[in-house]
Amino acid sequence: MCGRFVQTSPAQRLALQFGATDTTDDGLRPRWNVAPSTPVPAVIDAGARDDGGRRLGLLRWGFVPSWARGPDDGPRPINARVEGAAASRLFAPALARRRCIVPLDAWYEWTDEDGARQPWLLRPTTDAPVAVAALWSTWRDPTAQADAPMLATVALMTTEARGRAAEVHHRMPLLVPDALLDDWLTADVPADAALLGALTAGVPEVDVVRVARGVNDVRNDGPELVEPADR
């Protein structure tokens, strides 16, 4: 977890919900089968840097640290376990200074049925996007010119599954409630045990829906993927 998710809310709705300026340049489209290595929406609080304020933009899903030799050199993790992030050489710097959220409308998990992967849709009962805690990074080609664009990437944070989410998987996205959004996005607030404990204590209210196995193929992407399916 989390390896696929649903993101169908328009940029205007996300910007309004999370108090951010939309910088996606119309690059956000509805997707029902978001997979790693693709651009995903993220909200970052620039703080005192670069005019400040929250911004909604697109980051590539798959974390590339700034010290990597290249964007395809070494692992590009899509998830970061909250239990070990603070002690991780890979994630600790981002946990301290580069926290963000990735809004999503639902996510998928899988169980094994007769040797086949059976997908399940976990959909918030609030019918509104949820904020997943995430860590971001930037990488620049050291051989490129100084004004060359940077590659911005992200990893979603995960925690032990609770509530109905635990019925289909032992892990789930680390969700950020509205009451903790400011603390999570503000780099001046430390991501200490108190903050992480408050985040991991939450129990998501989700519907767990059996869906067709078409979602197993990343080439499939359409609203039919989230429809309930019989055995």
Side-chain angles (χ1 to χ4, degrees):
M1 192 292 116
C2 170
R4 305 274 184 83
F5 63 85
V6 178
Q7 203 296 305
T8 56
S9 295
Q12 297 91 332
R13 178 180 183 179
L14 298 179
L16 180 63
Q17 179 175 337
F18 298 109
T21 300
D22 178 18
T23 65
T24 59
D25 296 326
D26 295 326
L28 187 61
R29 60 177 179 82
R31 289 185 291 170
W32 291 266
N33 199 4
V34 180
S37 298
T38 59
V40 299
V43 175
I44 294 173
D45 192 335
R49 298 169 298 168
D50 198 20
D51 297 331
R54 293 180 187 173
R55 297 186 178 182
L56 172 69
L58 298 173
L59 306 180
R60 194 177 81 175
W61 188 12
F63 192 87
V64 178
S66 60
W67 41 262
R69 294 181 179 178
D72 299 314
D73 180 64
R76 300 182 300 280
I78 61 173
N79 295 329
R81 294 172 66 97
V82 67
E83 297 89 345
S88 167
R89 175 175 177 258
L90 185 63
F91 294 124
L95 182 64
R97 302 295 299 175
R98 290 189 167 185
R99 304 189 297 266
C100 65
I101 60 165
V102 171
L104 54 84
D105 294 278
W107 70 93
Y108 297 103
E109 295 295 357
W110 281 262
T111 57
D112 181 80
E113 288 191 3
D114 301 323
R117 297 178 74 227
Q118 172 58 49
W120 299 82
L121 180 77
L122 289 84
R123 182 169 50 205
T125 59
T126 57
D127 196 31
V130 292
V132 177
L135 306 175
W136 64 282
S137 179
T138 56
W139 180 86
R140 187 192 299 273
D141 185 347
T143 65
Q145 297 181 350
D147 59 351
M150 294 186 294
L151 173 66
T153 62
V154 68
L156 307 186
M157 300 200 75
T158 68
T159 185
E160 180 181 354
R162 291 176 173 83
R164 291 207 63 196
E167 296 176 6
V168 292
H169 203 275
H170 65 285
R171 304 293 294 178
M172 58 170 272
L174 179 62
L175 304 183
V176 182
D178 291 344
L180 295 175
L181 192 60
D182 288 343
D183 287 347
W184 177 253
L185 290 177
T186 304
D188 292 338
V189 176
D192 56 15
L195 177 56
L196 296 180
L199 292 173
T200 56
V203 179
E205 297 182 0
V206 297
D207 292 324
V208 180
V209 182
R210 181 189 182 93
V211 293
R213 293 177 181 175
V215 73
N216 294 353
D217 189 335
V218 297
R219 293 171 295 183
N220 296 329
D221 188 8
E224 70 279 0
L225 298 180
V226 301
E227 293 297 323
D230 297 328
R231 287 183 174 274

